């Protein structure tokens, strides 16, 4: 896509029109809350009051005309005639949803704030906003503190914790009301609530813990949530400007500076959706037990709130002749990040990004999903014992907020997050032209001889682990467990589990169970557009398309997708202008999905639509330390070196500067014998697999191969599976695959083509 075309796609008007068009429910009217990435289906047709309220706000503030009447009448349909306030969810047909038996402070006050932000029709809107503000205050404010949620009829308190987001939305509404009316009583109410917001929620360093307990202290699981924190900054800024209170404005400045200092991802760009109260980005395994998201992600919605807050703060400072380099930089780079999440193929903005995480919590490669999202999150898929959100799909709220935030800051500069600078592009082109030719000898990987690993692992226990995960007439699950406690994967048949199980069976010399039935079941996972999903009817993408196509290779020469040409078309459509591939068409490129797409295309007897551009993308990902980054300009990691060498080999090229790449990989071997994904992280099984495989493809091996082998063997658990590090809970077939393939490579039992094709 050309620069002009991308600029058009990322314009606020284009994003707004994409929302109004693609989220419209043509059958029942109104707007759905989540759709597939390509807009072909509504994946959550239920309606949310938050999206309608924010749409009214955005349309009024920006002057967007499309859909204004629908949003006004649609928001009115959420009014709770029986109990007051607004229902928070409606079924697709407009009937109150089961989730509407609960009312939350955040949403009820946000409706009031949005009504007042959208008060372009004068007295009627102001009156509606005031009525909702008074209703929510009476419902949630008890003895000077807010409740989190109550029953719809106010008969019981469901969450007595105090939410920062709810308190901030209330102050935002009060500040806006004071601005609109100028009434001394309204000004006094806004002033008192703003001072209470600072006293109760804002820490000295500018952080805003998202939940407070009865004692006023942050609850044990409190985080600095970007959305709640940004709302707090917006509320204090609005009230500070109305009251001409420099102290409140200074608090808003401190909060937005905190976002800049602690929530920005210096590796891949974008703000994380939360961090710890000490400003660190970490994973909390204990949060899983509490059914909270343990793994930080980056979302368009949270980044849009952050941009709106920092943009308004920067504009307010400019009005008084003030400057702030941190906030100016935050505005520019957040705009650039949001624009990078725009779908340049189908329009609109993706939900966000997620990553692999390794101990002690460093993001590695893209794994574009969120595990265990709250059950009121639009777009959630339920699979086996897991529920997850595919972040490459689209939700209503991010569309609205991104259009609003970009429109509000359209006079601000944007950080260019394109992956290849012009100077580097010239060097990459020269390097590409100088590459030596190479080729991977293609073979029938389903007919390989088994590798004897009986001396380094309990083979029979692992085979039993795989056999027990088999579902007759279908495929293999991630684990053999039926109903594990917590968030563990179960035995529900999946394309991922089937691929990795069949791969390990082949390496260990055993045929899969019910080979023909497994092959047939895999064909059911192909979607109408040619892509494959993890399970029939699920979300389809490059990762699962690779897994299915490669599984067909492993199953036998008669196996294959029912729509081969459709699979090829889908994979080729995921190649971007920079030559790399994203997880779905229009998503930003990365080396992980580039490699998977190239391997899958090779398995189908095809290639990227532009192989030379793909080669240049891989080369542009190379760093001075000899390694490769997941994206151009990101730090080197073992995963990406493996992806780079395999991709180039299938495209007929040899990896340049092989000695430097080998040195980088060997330097990542840790004291225990395993490998970390970079030079500073801890050892992990997945990183060890990628390093061992990459070294093998480069004609080398670990500096301490025996220690590596022993470390891998130590990862096997009593149930026959493998854990990501020795001595902890058994993992899934993902860890089992990494261990068996690594041990087979060290035993010199795999061919280069197998190590490239099967990953």
């Amino acid at each position: 896509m050309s620069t002009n075309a991308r600029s058009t796609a990322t314009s606020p008007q284009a994003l707004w029109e994409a929302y109004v068009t693609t989220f419209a429910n043509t059958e029942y009217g109104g707007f759905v809350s989540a759709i597939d990435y390509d807009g072909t289906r509504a994946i959550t047709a239920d309606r949310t009051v938050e999206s309608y309220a924010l749409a009214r706000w955005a349309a009024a503030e920006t002057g967007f005309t499309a859909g204004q009447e629908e949003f006004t009448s649609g928001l009115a349909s959420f009014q709770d005639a029986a109990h007051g306030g607004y229902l928070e969810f409606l079924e697709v047909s407009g009937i109150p949803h089961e989730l509407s038996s609960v009312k939350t402070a955040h949403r009820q006050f946000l409706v009031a704030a949005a009504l007042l932000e959208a008060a372009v029709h004068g007295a009627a809107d102001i009156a509606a906003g005031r009525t909702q503000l008074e209703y929510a205050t009476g419902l949630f404010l008890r003895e000077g503190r807010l409740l989190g949620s109550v029953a719809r009829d106010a008969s019981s308190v469901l969450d007595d914790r105090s939410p920062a987001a709810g308190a901030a939305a209330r102050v935002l509404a009060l500040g806006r009301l004071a601005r609109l009316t100028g009434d001394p009583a309204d000004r006094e109410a806004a002033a008192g609530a703003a001072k209470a917001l600072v006293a109760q929620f804002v820490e000295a360093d500018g952080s805003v813990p998202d939940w407070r307990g009865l004692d006023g202290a942050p609850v044990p699981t409190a985080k600095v949530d970007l959305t709640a924190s940004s709302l707090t900054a917006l509320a204090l800024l609005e009230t500070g400007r109305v009251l001409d209170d420099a102290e409140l404005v200074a608090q808003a400045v401190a909060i937005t500076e905190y976002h800049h200092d602690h929530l920005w991802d210096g590796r891949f760009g974008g703000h994380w959706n939360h961090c710890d109260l000490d400003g660190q980005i970490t994973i909390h395994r204990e949060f899983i037990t509490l059914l909270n998201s343990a793994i930080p992600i980056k979302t368009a919605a949270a980044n849009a709130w952050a941009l709106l807050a920092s943009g308004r703060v920067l504009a307010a400072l400019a009005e008084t002749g003030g400057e702030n380099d941190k906030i100016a930089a935050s505005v520019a780079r957040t705009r650039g990040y949001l624009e990078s999440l725009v779908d340049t193929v189908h329009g609109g903005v993706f939900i966000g990004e997620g990553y692999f995480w390794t101990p002690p919590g460093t993001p590695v490669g893209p794994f574009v999903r969120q595990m265990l999202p709250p059950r009121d999150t639009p777009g959630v898929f339920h699979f086996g014992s897991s529920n997850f959100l595919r972040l490459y799909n689209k939700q209503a709220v991010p569309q609205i907020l991104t259009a609003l935030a970009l429109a509000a800051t359209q006079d601000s500069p944007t950080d260019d997050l394109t992956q290849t600078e012009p100077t580097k592009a010239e060097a990459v082109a020269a390097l590409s032209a100088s590459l030596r030719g190479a080729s991977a000898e293609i073979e029938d990987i389903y007919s390989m001889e088994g590798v004897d690993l009986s001396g380094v692992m309990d083979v029979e226990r692992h085979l039993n682990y795989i056999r027990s995960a088999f579902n007759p007439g279908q495929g293999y699950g991630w684990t053999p467990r039926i109903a594990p406690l917590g968030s563990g994967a179960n035995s529900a048949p999946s394309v991922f589990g089937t691929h990795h199980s069949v791969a390990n069976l082949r390496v260990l010399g055993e045929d899969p169970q019910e080979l023909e039935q497994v092959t047939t079941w895999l064909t059911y996972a192909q979607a109408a557009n040619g892509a494959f999903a993890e399970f029939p009817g699920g979300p389809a993408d490059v990762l699962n398309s690779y897994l299915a196509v490669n599984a067909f290779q492993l199953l036998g020469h008669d196996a294959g997708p029912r729509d081969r040409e459709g699979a090829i078309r889908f994979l080729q459509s995921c190649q971007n202008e920079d030559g790399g591939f994203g997880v779905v068409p229009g998503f930003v490129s990365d080396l992980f999905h580039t490699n998977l797409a190239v391997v899958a295309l090779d398995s189908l007897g095809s290639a990227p639509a532009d192989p030379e551009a793909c080669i240049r993308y891989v080369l542009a990902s190379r760093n001075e330390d000899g390694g490769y980054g997941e994206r151009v300009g990101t730090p080197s990691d073992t995963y990406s070196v493996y992806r780079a060498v395999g991709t180039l080999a299938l495209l007929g090229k040899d990896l340049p500067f092989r000695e430097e790449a080998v040195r980088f990989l060997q330097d990542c071997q840790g004291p225990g014998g395993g490998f970390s994904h970079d030079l500073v992280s801890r050892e992990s099984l997945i990183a060890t697999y990628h390093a061992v495989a990459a070294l093998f493809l480069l004609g080398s091996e670990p500096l301490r191969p025996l220690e590596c082998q022993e470390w891998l063997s130590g990862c096997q658990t009593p149930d026959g599976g493998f854990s990501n590090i020795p001595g902890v809970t058994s993992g899934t077939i993902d860890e089992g695959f990494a261990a068996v393939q690594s041990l087979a490579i060290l035993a010199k039992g795999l061919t280069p083509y197998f190590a490239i094709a099967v990953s």
Side-chain angles (χ1 to χ4, degrees):
M1 174 173 283
S2 68
T3 301
N4 288 339
R6 166 164 280 281
S7 178
T8 300
T10 58
S11 73
Q13 184 67 40
L15 293 173
W16 182 259
E17 291 174 356
Y19 166 62
V20 172
T21 302
T22 57
F23 282 77
N25 190 323
T26 56
E27 183 176 2
Y28 290 96
F31 297 86
V32 304
S33 54
I35 62 173
D36 253 339
Y37 64 84
D38 57 4
T40 56
R41 60 177 176 170
I43 54 179
T44 300
D46 309 308
R47 308 173 197 171
T48 68
V49 73
E50 187 174 3
S51 64
Y52 278 79
L54 290 174
R56 279 214 61 201
W57 173 355
E61 180 168 322
T62 61
F64 297 145
T65 56
Q68 279 209 34
E69 293 183 5
E70 292 92 333
F71 294 125
T72 300
S73 60
L75 183 59
S77 70
F78 283 87
Q79 289 179 319
D80 186 354
H83 302 289
Y86 284 75
L87 300 166
E88 298 185 2
F89 300 90
L90 296 177
E91 294 275 7
V92 60
S93 59
I95 299 172
H97 197 283
E98 63 168 296
L99 294 176
S100 276
S101 62
V102 177
K103 287 181 177 173
T104 60
H106 170 218
R107 293 193 183 100
Q108 295 296 320
F109 283 114
L110 192 61
V111 170
L115 283 168
L116 292 165
E117 289 277 356
V120 294
H121 300 300
D125 273 342
I126 295 173
R130 183 190 291 278
T131 297
Q132 174 61 12
L133 177 58
E134 291 173 350
Y135 162 81
T137 299
L139 187 64
F140 294 103
L141 188 63
R142 308 285 175 89
E143 298 179 356
R145 63 185 301 275
L146 287 185
L147 302 172
S149 62
V150 300
R152 174 186 172 187
D153 62 1
S155 61
S156 58
V157 174
L158 303 176
D159 189 346
D160 64 2
R161 299 175 302 162
S162 291
R170 176 172 177 258
V171 172
L172 181 60
L174 286 167
R176 183 64 173 168
L177 182 62
R179 178 181 294 278
L180 290 168
T181 67
D183 189 307
D186 290 335
R187 292 171 60 86
E188 183 179 353
K195 287 180 170 51
L197 178 63
V198 172
Q200 293 174 9
F201 285 96
V202 183
E203 302 288 342
D205 61 355
S207 63
V208 181
D210 55 356
W211 290 95
R212 300 270 178 174
L214 290 170
D215 59 358
V219 299
T221 57
K223 304 182 292 290
V224 179
D225 177 80
L226 181 59
T227 296
S229 187
S230 298
L231 274 170
T232 303
L234 283 167
L236 295 177
L237 177 69
E238 174 71 12
T239 311
R241 295 179 70 192
V242 170
L243 302 175
D244 196 23
D245 188 328
E247 185 176 340
L248 292 178
V249 174
Q251 291 286 354
V253 170
I255 293 169
T256 50
E257 286 183 337
Y258 186 93
H259 298 165
H260 176 282
D261 293 338
H262 297 284
L263 283 162
W264 183 259
D265 177 11
R267 180 180 289 255
F268 295 106
H271 289 94
W272 297 109
N273 63 339
H274 65 77
C275 69
D276 289 348
L277 299 188
D278 62 2
Q280 300 300 307
I281 305 292
T282 55
I283 298 174
H284 291 281
R285 296 294 179 190
E286 62 271 22
F287 281 10
I288 293 178
T289 304
L290 299 171
L291 299 183
N292 294 323
S293 176
I295 302 177
I297 59 172
K298 294 179 298 192
T299 63
N303 275 273
W305 277 120
L307 177 59
L308 193 61
S310 59
R312 284 191 175 183
V313 168
L314 191 64
L317 292 175
E319 288 177 1
T320 58
E323 297 180 350
N324 188 299
D325 291 342
K326 279 188 178 181
I327 298 177
S330 187
V331 170
R333 65 189 188 181
T334 308
R335 277 183 57 86
Y337 180 71
L338 279 172
E339 291 178 354
S340 76
L341 291 178
V342 171
D343 182 351
T344 56
V345 175
H346 300 107
V349 62
F350 298 110
I351 295 172
E353 297 183 288
Y355 299 92
F356 294 117
W357 290 71
T358 57
T362 304
V364 187
F367 203 48
V368 194
R369 71 180 186 184
Q370 178 188 22
M371 295 301 297
L372 291 175
R375 62 190 303 260
D376 57 0
T377 303
V380 174
F381 282 85
H382 301 270
F383 168 61
S385 60
S386 303
N387 62 304
F388 56 89
L389 180 70
R390 289 291 184 186
L391 299 174
Y392 53 68
N393 285 325
K394 294 167 184 170
Q395 296 169 326
V397 167
Q399 316 302 307
I400 298 163
L401 286 174
T402 302
L404 171 61
L406 291 178
T409 57
Q410 56 190 351
D411 295 330
S412 303
T414 299
D415 262 11
D416 185 3
L417 295 184
T418 52
Q419 297 193 45
T420 308
E421 308 88 355
T423 53
K424 187 169 186 177
E426 295 174 2
V428 166
L431 179 59
S432 176
S434 68
L435 288 185
R436 294 181 298 171
S439 62
E441 185 176 345
I442 298 175
E443 61 197 52
D444 292 327
I445 56 178
Y446 70 90
S447 60
M448 71 168 293
E449 294 185 8
V451 183
D452 182 7
L453 298 179
S454 58
V456 292
M457 63 175 283
D458 191 326
V459 173
E460 191 58 33
R461 276 186 184 273
H462 186 65
L463 288 173
N464 284 334
Y465 180 92
I466 294 175
R467 294 174 191 137
S468 299
F470 181 67
N471 298 269
Q474 301 178 76
Y476 295 83
W478 283 66
T479 74
R481 305 177 188 96
I482 297 175
L485 294 175
S487 59
N490 69 358
S491 61
S494 71
V495 169
F496 188 103
T498 299
H499 172 271
H500 279 23
S501 295
V502 171
N504 275 10
L505 290 171
R506 289 297 189 207
V507 167
L508 296 173
E510 181 165 311
D511 286 331
Q513 293 142 280
E514 298 184 12
L515 190 147
E516 290 186 8
Q517 289 90 331
V518 172
T519 302
T520 300
W521 180 81
L522 278 174
T523 66
Y524 297 155
Q526 191 169 24
N529 65 355
F532 281 82
E534 187 167 351
F535 54 92
D541 51 43
V542 164
L543 170 60
N544 289 295
S545 296
Y546 157 75
L547 291 167
V549 167
N550 193 247
F552 287 131
Q553 267 193 299
L554 289 162
L555 288 165
H557 64 279
D558 291 330
R562 54 181 171 75
D563 183 3
R564 181 180 296 270
E565 292 305 313
I568 292 172
R569 283 194 303 273
F570 169 78
L571 289 164
Q572 289 180 333
S573 73
C574 294
Q575 188 174 20
N576 293 312
E577 186 182 17
D578 60 14
F581 289 73
V583 62
V584 293
F587 206 94
V588 64
S589 302
D590 60 71
L591 207 48
F592 176 69
H593 290 102
T594 297
N595 172 253
L596 296 179
V598 170
V599 176
L601 286 166
D602 181 79
S603 299
L604 293 167
S606 186
D610 191 342
E612 292 302 318
C614 187
I615 291 170
R616 290 194 297 272
Y617 178 80
V618 174
L619 296 176
S621 303
R622 182 180 180 275
N623 294 314
E624 291 300 317
D625 59 10
Y628 287 73
E630 189 57 57
R631 289 181 177 157
V632 177
T634 61
S636 299
D637 60 75
T638 53
Y639 299 61
S640 298
V641 179
Y642 165 76
R643 301 292 169 187
V645 65
T647 303
L648 290 179
L650 290 181
L651 295 175
K653 299 295 182 181
D654 198 6
L655 190 81
F657 307 108
R658 295 166 69 90
E659 296 79 8
E660 288 90 337
V662 167
R663 187 180 309 115
F664 169 79
L665 291 165
Q666 290 177 333
D667 287 346
C668 289
Q669 189 170 17
F675 285 76
S676 58
H677 84 277
D678 58 24
L679 298 175
V680 296
S681 300
R682 289 173 54 189
E683 299 157 63
S684 72
L685 184 53
I686 306 299
T688 300
Y689 158 69
H690 285 93
V692 168
L695 285 167
F696 170 60
L697 295 175
L698 292 168
S700 186
E701 64 178 359
L703 290 175
R704 308 190 313 278
L706 182 59
E707 288 183 31
C708 182
Q709 184 185 77
E710 292 173 347
W711 188 90
L712 288 162
S713 298
C715 290
Q716 189 166 23
T717 53
D719 64 356
F722 285 83
S723 56
N724 197 35
I725 56 176
V728 300
T729 308
S730 178
T732 67
I733 191 59
D734 191 14
E735 288 79 13
F737 171 89
V740 170
Q741 303 298 313
S742 299
L743 289 169
I745 290 172
L746 292 173
K748 305 190 185 313
L750 298 188
T751 64
Y753 180 75
F754 193 99
I756 292 171
V758 184
S759 69

